[in-house]
């Protein structure tokens, strides 16, 4: 902004300068009624940065009355009110009558106790209350009135006592003492904010006053786009995968056939995961094509694969006795919203089976994906019907279960998660399978952080992978580490229509706690 605008801040600087001619030092109260502390300080800083004034900030404590203190200032202390009510009743009053006369139970009760202590009141023989003296001095009210007027009291003990009784509170007030500075003048010179071509051409720059740069000014907040926390954590986990030599799988297909989502993974067609309560089925179109090549370069024999999957389920193959049930092609061709990204892993491993490494066999490979999956679950604080899965697959010759555990240690270690515990588990497509747990300091218990295993030969051999190739697989949700990282306990604060935009804009860049 140019220096010579006529805004309210112009007014304020000008008022400060004019007031200084009549008194130096100047106390801030002069400008205070119309200017907030912040505006006043801004105006002073503006003048001080041009050496037109110097100033210091004075901080002092001020006592102000709480509502109860105000009441006492107006009507007298509780004990004085009790005394006054009794003084007027020559016969004395029952407690009930006294309450009625005062109109407030608490005031009556508190005031009664204090008035007894002061010996202002006493009890009659028939149990009534009466005044015990002709006149009293209401010291509390006197103190409160002094504070109301002077905002302090000469006796610190009085202040402390009234504060303890919650009749007053002490608050800080700031004021400024302002002096003329070496470049004091009554007007702020017109200040240029830009050096323009015209100023250079006319030479006016030589005599212009330039506005000093304020290097400490904070930029205005921009309402720009922001990265979602899930995106930030996803980014970090992706980096870890790349660092460990993984290749990213293309996950751009939310809709899969039952074949890829279940059958290729040796999930039997009666498995509860395939129920309507767990899986979303697509109604239009309801069925998929049979798996087939979609490009001329794809020379894989899909018919053979289809038959292998049927056989391994129905009658057994590749050394397995199978599940021994009539396998239904229709069931396999139903379209579903994918329930896990393992459907993608299956397709990628099927492609791996057709690749030839240096020795003519499929080469070792590492793949990962991080994307959305869908489950027909009832939504609550920790479950949504859709979430994100982080999934990794490692294919190599001569892999062992111990190697999978070591890999998990390294992988999660890079995310700052240590001391893993493994628990035997069951997945239709892996054997052995292990749930992965880690100790959560905050919750003080073991929490499940992932699921893993070695893919079964029923799945791998059907694809045509060599029988001595072993494949590790593991999965975890992206939401869990994100919620831990950002301290969120309800998943709906993270994902969906209830998320606060401000939360998305203001939250920090994530750093998984690495040492
Ligand atoms: N698909 C599993 C899940 O949904 C994760 C997993 C992937 C387990 C690969 C083992 C192997 O939790």
């Amino acid at each position: 902004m140019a220096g010579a605008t006529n805004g309210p801040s112009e007014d304020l600087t000008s008022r400060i300068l004019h007031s200084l001619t009549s008194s130096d030092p100047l106390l801030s109260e002069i400008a205070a009624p119309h200017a907030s502390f912040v505006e006043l300080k801004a105006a002073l800083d503006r003048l001080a940065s041009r050496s037109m004034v110097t100033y210091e900030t004075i901080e002092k404590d001020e006592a102000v009355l709480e509502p109860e203190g105000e009441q006492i200032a107006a009507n007298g202390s509780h004990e004085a009110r009790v005394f006054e009510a009794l003084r007027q009743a020559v016969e004395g009053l029952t407690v009930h009558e006294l309450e009625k006369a005062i109109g407030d139970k608490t005031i009556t009760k508190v005031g009664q106790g204090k008035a007894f202590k002061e010996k202002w009141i006493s009890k009659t023989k028939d149990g009534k209350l009466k005044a015990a003296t002709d006149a009293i001095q209401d010291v509390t009210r006197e103190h409160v009135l002094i504070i109301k007027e002077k905002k302090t009291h000469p006796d610190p003990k009085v202040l402390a006592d009234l504060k303890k009784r919650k009749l007053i509170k002490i608050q800080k007030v700031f004021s400024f003492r302002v002096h003329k500075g070496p470049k004091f003048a009554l007007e702020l010179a017109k200040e240029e904010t830009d050096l323009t071509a015209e100023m250079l051409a006319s030479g006016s720059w030589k005599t212009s006053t330039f506005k000093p740069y304020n290097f400490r000014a904070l930029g205005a907040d921009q309402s720009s786009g922001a990265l979602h926390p899930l995106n930030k954590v996803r980014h970090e986990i992706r980096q870890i995968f790349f660092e460990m030599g993984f290749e990213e799988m293309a996950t751009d297909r939310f809709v899969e056939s039952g074949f890829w989502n279940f059958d290729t993974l040796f999930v039997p067609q009666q498995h509860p995961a395939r129920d309507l309560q767990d899986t979303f089925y697509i109604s239009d179109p309801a069925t998929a094509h049979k798996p087939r090549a979609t490009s001329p370069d794809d020379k894989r024999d899909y018919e053979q694969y289809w038959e292998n999957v049927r056989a391994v389920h129905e009658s057994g193959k590749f050394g397995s006795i199978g599940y021994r049930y009539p396998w239904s092609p229709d069931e396999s061709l139903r379209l579903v919203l994918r329930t896990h990204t393992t459907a993608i892993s299956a397709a990628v491993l099927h492609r791996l089976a057709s690749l030839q490494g240096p020795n003519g066999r499929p080469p070792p490979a590492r793949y990962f994906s991080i994307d959305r999956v869908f489950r027909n679950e009832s939504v609550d604080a920790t479950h949504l019907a859709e979430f994100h899965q982080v999934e990794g697959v490692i294919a190599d010759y001569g892999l062992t279960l111990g190697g999978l555990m070591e890999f998990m240690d390294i992988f999660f270690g890079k995310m700052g998660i240590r001391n893993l515990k493994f628990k035997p588990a069951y997945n239709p497509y892996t054997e052995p399978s292990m749930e992965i747990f880690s100790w959560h300091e905050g919750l003080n218990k073991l929490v499940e952080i992932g699921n893993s295993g070695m893919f079964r030969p029923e799945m791998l051999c059907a694809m045509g992978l060599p029988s001595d190739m072993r494949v590790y697989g593991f999965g975890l949700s992206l939401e869990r580490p994100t919620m831990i990282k950002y301290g969120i306990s309800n998943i709906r604060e993270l994902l969906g229509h209830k998320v606060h935009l401000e939360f998305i804009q203001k939250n920090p860049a994530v750093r998984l706690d690495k040492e």
Side-chain angles (χ1 to χ4, degrees), residues 199-212:
M199 289 159 85
L200 289 173
S202 70
S204 72
W205 64 272
K206 288 181 211 159
T207 49
S208 303
T209 313
F210 288 93
K211 187 177 183 193

Side-chain angles (χ1 to χ4, degrees), residues 39-81:
E39 285 166 349
L40 194 51
K41 185 163 175 353
L44 287 169
D45 283 340
R46 196 153 170 237
L47 293 171
S49 70
R50 290 157 179 81
S51 306
M52 295 175 74
V53 304
T54 60
Y55 77 93
E56 67 252 25
T57 311
I58 304 157
E59 190 190 315
K60 69 170 192 248
D61 287 339
E62 218 174 66
V64 286
L65 301 188
E66 295 277 21
E68 200 179 331
E70 288 286 3
Q71 220 183 64
I72 290 175
N75 307 321
S77 67
H78 299 353
E79 52 274 30
R81 286 172 72 179

Side-chain angles (χ1 to χ4, degrees), residues 339-340 342 375 389 391-392 427 429-430 451-453 455 473-475:
T339 61
H340 50 187
T342 317
R375 303 226 178 135
Q389 240 178 13
E391 171 143 337
N427 295 312
Y429 35 92
T430 52
N451 181 8
S452 68
F455 286 117
F474 61 94

Side-chain angles (χ1 to χ4, degrees), residues 182-199:
K183 295 201 184 149
F184 178 78
L186 273 181
E187 294 299 327
L188 258 175
K190 179 177 183 318
E191 291 177 326
E192 303 296 346
T193 49
D194 285 313
L195 179 59
T196 61
E198 290 78 38
M199 289 159 85

Side-chain angles (χ1 to χ4, degrees), residues 130-427:
K130 66 174 177 59
T133 169
D134 292 337
I136 54 146
Q137 192 191 359
D138 190 354
V139 184
T140 307
R141 183 175 189 212
E142 284 167 11
H143 288 159
V144 167
L145 285 173
I146 290 176
I147 290 170
K148 191 175 164 77
E149 193 194 308
K150 299 240 155 65
K151 300 216 162 33
T152 185
H153 192 279
D155 185 352
K157 271 198 219 130
V158 171
L159 286 173
D161 178 52
L162 294 185
K163 186 165 167 247
K164 208 166 114 198
R165 287 166 64 184
K166 299 209 167 61
L167 301 182
I168 62 165
K169 67 176 173 214
I170 310 289
Q171 61 187 29
K172 291 222 175 304
V173 286
F174 296 92
S175 51
F176 302 102
R177 186 180 290 121
V178 189
H179 306 267
K180 287 178 186 159
K183 295 201 184 149
F184 178 78
L186 273 181
E187 294 299 327
L188 258 175
K190 179 177 183 318
E191 291 177 326
E192 303 296 346
T193 49
D194 285 313
L195 179 59
T196 61
E198 290 78 38
M199 289 159 85
L200 289 173
S202 70
S204 72
W205 64 272
K206 288 181 211 159
T207 49
S208 303
T209 313
F210 288 93
K211 187 177 183 193
Y213 280 108
N214 178 3
F215 290 107
R216 286 191 291 173
L218 297 174
D221 269 351
Q222 302 293 313
S223 72
S224 56
L227 288 177
H228 192 278
L230 283 174
N231 241 321
K232 297 184 196 174
V233 173
R234 176 174 175 273
H235 175 82
E236 293 217 6
I237 296 179
R238 265 181 104 226
Q239 294 312 309
I240 293 173
F241 274 119
F242 286 135
E243 203 175 295
M244 299 186 79
F246 281 76
E247 188 184 323
E248 190 161 18
M249 298 185 260
T251 46
D252 50 353
R253 39 200 289 170
F254 287 179
V255 177
E256 290 280 1
S257 61
F259 181 76
W260 288 109
N261 196 80
F262 297 120
D263 294 301
T264 59
L265 293 166
F266 201 48
V267 179
Q269 292 184 334
Q270 311 76 17
H271 195 279
R274 298 177 79 146
D275 280 355
L276 269 176
Q277 300 94 288
D278 293 283
T279 300
F280 289 113
Y281 286 89
I282 308 288
S283 50
D284 184 18
T287 54
H289 287 284
K290 267 175 83 170
R292 57 186 177 147
T294 48
S295 86
D297 311 333
D298 188 351
K299 301 279 186 272
R300 286 177 279 176
D301 186 348
Y302 285 91
E303 199 50 47
Q304 178 66 52
Y305 185 29
W306 174 266
E307 284 309 319
N308 281 349
V309 170
R310 174 209 291 278
V312 84
H313 280 248
E314 208 166 72
S315 50
K317 203 172 175 179
F318 314 111
S320 164
I321 61 166
Y323 290 121
R324 302 177 177 204
Y325 70 96
W327 185 80
S328 150
D330 288 345
E331 186 63 38
S332 196
L333 293 180
R334 287 175 80 184
L335 284 172
V336 302
L337 284 181
R338 69 174 176 224
T339 61
H340 50 187
T341 44
T342 317
I344 304 284
S345 300
V348 169
L349 288 170
H350 179 238
R351 193 193 57 200
L352 178 68
S354 70
L355 300 182
Q356 290 190 356
N359 54 7
R361 284 150 56 84
R366 293 180 161 209
Y367 302 112
F368 82 95
S369 66
I370 307 177
D371 207 348
R372 199 170 280 223
V373 299
F374 307 86
R375 303 226 178 135
N376 196 357
E377 287 194 85
S378 40
V379 172
D380 65 21
T382 51
H383 293 91
L384 289 180
E386 50 191 294
F387 63 98
H388 296 83
Q389 240 178 13
V390 178
E391 171 143 337
V393 165
I394 299 179
D396 206 342
Y397 299 92
L399 297 179
T400 62
L401 191 66
L404 174 57
M405 292 163 84
E406 187 194 12
F407 172 82
M408 288 297 160
D409 270 334
I410 299 170
F411 175 77
F412 281 104
K414 284 179 186 280
M415 289 170 54
I417 300 172
R418 277 163 235 291
N419 302 323
L420 302 184
K421 295 264 182 286
F422 299 95
K423 182 180 148 193
Y426 173 76
N427 295 312

